[in-house]
Amino acid sequence: MTVHSPVFEDLMKAYDSKLSHSGVDGERMARRLHELSLIAFTEVGGVKRPGFSDGEKAAKALVKKWMEQAGLSVTEDGAGNVIGRLEGKSSDAKAIASGSHVDSVPNGGNFDGPLGVLSALEVAEAWKDTGFTPEKPYEVIIFSDEEGARFKSGLSGSRGMIGDFTDEEFAKLRDFNGETFEQVLTHYGSSLARFKEAKRDIGELELFVEIHIEQGKKLEKADQPVGIVSGIAGPSWVEMTFTGQAGHAGNTPMIGRRDPLVAAAEFASRVPDFPAQVSDTAVATIGKFDVSPNGINVIPEQVVLHVDIRDIYEDTRDALVERISLEAKTVAEQRGVEVAIKQNTRIQPVPINEQLQAELAASLSKFGIKPIYLASGAAHDTMVLGRHIPAAMLFVRSKDGISHHPKEWSSLNDCVMGVHVLKDFVEGKMLAGILVAS
Ligand SMILES: [Zn+2]
């Protein structure tokens, strides 16, 4: 027997219908969130839609149908990105784009991704209902395979659109069935050659703006429905290998031991003190810790741990990597063990343009929302686009901060507030100077 939560009824229960105005229709949003939740659902009320799966494809097909009904002309590129375009009064102007993804983690929720796509579409729906024609073209984009559940890589669609992929990377990718990237694309109905052709002249876009659930509790704590993303953190993964002297737990005296686990544990307990010393958005986490030989009665020989260090600014993030590495060396020396430090991953953070943040704040204020600025600890398609064109992001309050889980929830009131803010912001950008696409 399958169980599925009635997303529509639950959303509508607490909805304040006065929020449906200016063409924005909360009930339509709720119905659509519900319909998407029925595609590749799991028994516990979540969804399982890995990138390039039948589920992701079906979700895109449904949104494509809605895009067409809203009067958008719809195309799909070789990376599976769906683009719904509305021409503006001046068709040679650069377009303003908004969107997100419809793929999910293995037992994901119903808001991470779909909310951004449906919010972007709701802006076009509102214009259709009120007879508003924007000055510039407007694009609603669904990016493929954002979560990375398939290849442990992610952001495939946005990276394909930018051309941010090397042949070496393509060759390395294997999905959860052991299939290559090329095989998966072929099953999907595309090909590696067509994927590479998805690279577009990104200069055709003036701006990209994405709505996403917060996946944290800051907005809930501040009692605000929508917040402004101040930057997207880039992670640095640092591998530290503490090496000491193995020995018998019973026969080796306490004095003179060179125990790498004691050093690693002492180091780990100090790590939480450092992020606040560099910035108030930095974070550091030890999530992987391997002890060898890992026997009850053996003093360990070696401990390998991994530190995930993030911030929205590259200089403070790198300063934190240095500070934490120095601490590892200090502790190792005090404990008489060796430490080898290797930085495995180093992804550039993307700060959000301050002018755009100020404009979003002005839009929030019109709806009585106090601007709260939030760093995004997770990567998003905005991060990929934001390296090339101006990009901005709004977070919608997440209930209990839960995400990547069937319990993920945002109230319909909050979702609709997000659409109003997005619409106001985009309309403002439509009236700002026209930039002609080269
Ligand atoms: Zn997402």
Side-chain angles (χ1 to χ4, degrees):
M1 198 190 81
T2 51
V3 184
H4 198 269
S5 66
V7 172
F8 177 74
E9 283 81 2
D10 287 351
L11 280 170
M12 290 303 291
K13 239 184 273 173
Y15 183 54
D16 175 1
S17 60
K18 288 197 290 294
L19 291 172
S20 289
H21 64 84
S22 314
V24 175
D25 183 347
E27 195 177 324
R28 177 167 51 210
M29 288 276 292
R31 210 180 317 116
R32 289 178 171 180
L33 281 163
H34 180 78
E35 283 190 49
L36 282 173
S37 79
L38 299 175
I39 298 175
F41 64 88
T42 60
E43 290 182 13
V44 286
V47 287
K48 185 184 180 185
R49 293 196 295 258
F52 304 113
S53 63
D54 290 347
E56 190 204 40
K57 201 176 200 175
K60 284 174 183 168
L62 183 58
V63 179
K64 272 188 203 173
K65 189 184 82 181
W66 294 331
M67 284 176 167
E68 279 162 4
Q69 288 167 359
L72 308 182
S73 53
V74 181
T75 52
E76 182 166 339
D77 66 20
N81 298 313
V82 174
I83 301 163
R85 186 174 163 104
L86 182 70
E87 290 307 331
K89 286 178 194 162
S90 61
S91 59
D92 59 347
K94 290 189 179 203
I96 292 175
S98 182
S100 195
H101 59 97
V102 293
D103 68 316
S104 79
V105 294
N107 188 21
N110 295 306
F111 296 82
D112 180 347
L115 181 62
V117 171
L118 295 180
S119 299
L121 179 56
E122 190 59 26
V123 170
E125 292 280 11
W127 290 340
K128 185 180 169 229
D129 289 357
T130 56
F132 173 87
T133 305
E135 295 295 318
K136 306 168 186 174
Y138 178 65
E139 291 186 6
V140 179
I141 306 179
I142 311 174
F143 291 105
S144 292
D145 186 38
E146 190 273 346
E147 294 285 7
R150 177 146 223 140
F151 296 101
K152 293 201 173 70
S153 147
L155 304 166
S156 300
S158 50
R159 292 174 66 202
M161 188 179 277
I162 295 292
D164 174 20
F165 254 111
T166 61
D167 285 338
E168 210 183 3
E169 275 176 273
F170 288 130
K172 268 198 293 199
L173 294 177
R174 291 289 179 281
D175 79 347
F176 40 58
N177 299 319
E179 294 204 330
T180 63
F181 194 57
E182 186 160 19
Q183 284 168 327
V184 169
L185 285 172
T186 307
H187 289 159
Y188 184 74
S190 185
S191 66
L192 193 54
R194 287 204 55 223
F195 183 92
K196 290 180 184 177
E197 284 165 19
K199 180 177 179 202
R200 74 185 276 191
D201 174 9
I202 205 66
E204 294 166 355
L205 300 182
E206 174 187 330
L207 169 87
F208 179 73
V209 52
E210 178 174 6
I211 283 199
H212 202 277
I213 55 165
E214 181 196 346
Q215 307 178 278
K217 295 181 184 176
K218 285 190 183 144
L219 289 171
E220 204 170 54
K221 232 171 145 185
D223 194 24
Q224 297 299 319
V226 185
I228 298 165
V229 176
S230 55
I232 303 171
S236 179
W237 290 346
V238 184
E239 181 181 326
M240 297 186 174
T241 306
F242 291 82
T243 308
Q245 174 84 56
H248 192 285
N251 295 334
T252 314
M254 292 309 294
I255 293 168
R257 284 191 184 195
R258 294 170 51 226
D259 185 337
L261 179 55
V262 171
E266 190 172 325
F267 163 71
S269 74
R270 293 184 191 176
V271 165
D273 299 334
F274 299 118
Q277 294 176 10
V278 299
S279 85
D280 51 12
T281 46
V283 288
T285 307
I286 297 173
K288 196 165 173 357
F289 206 100
D290 297 306
V291 180
S292 68
N294 210 21
I296 294 177
N297 57 352
V298 189
I299 299 166
E301 165 93 27
Q302 198 169 68
V303 172
V304 182
L305 59 84
H306 295 255
V307 199
D308 174 310
I309 300 167
R310 299 177 187 225
D311 199 5
I312 58 173
Y313 312 105
E314 196 162 23
D315 53 348
T316 47
R317 195 270 316 265
D318 291 349
L320 184 56
V321 170
E322 261 181 51
R323 182 64 195 88
I324 286 176
S325 300
L326 178 69
E327 192 64 18
K329 287 176 195 158
T330 307
V331 174
E333 207 184 310
Q334 287 165 354
R335 291 285 173 183
V337 302
E338 306 290 319
V339 65
I341 299 171
K342 203 166 84 185
Q343 194 169 179
N344 291 332
T345 296
R346 193 173 178 280
I347 293 172
Q348 200 186 357
V350 175
I352 303 280
N353 177 306
E354 283 179 13
Q355 171 66 28
L356 292 178
Q357 290 188 51
E359 288 168 25
L360 285 172
S363 293
L364 285 170
S365 302
K366 286 187 195 170
F367 299 95
I369 305 167
K370 186 177 143 213
I372 303 285
Y373 297 88
L374 308 142
S376 173
H380 298 286
D381 294 308
T382 300
M383 181 178 87
V384 177
L385 271 74
R387 294 209 176 100
H388 304 270
I389 56 169
M393 209 169 171
L394 288 164
F395 274 167
V396 168
R397 172 165 52 188
S398 293
K399 186 172 189 294
D400 301 325
I402 296 169
S403 75
H404 286 186
H405 188 278
K407 285 216 167 88
E408 181 179 285
W409 192 260
S410 291
S411 78
L412 187 56
N413 290 353
D414 291 356
C415 295
V416 170
M417 280 311 255
V419 177
H420 281 298
V421 173
L422 175 69
K423 179 170 168 284
D424 184 77
F425 171 74
V426 171
E427 286 172 358
K429 298 308 284 183
M430 288 290 175
L431 295 172
I434 298 225
L435 299 170
V436 177
S438 51

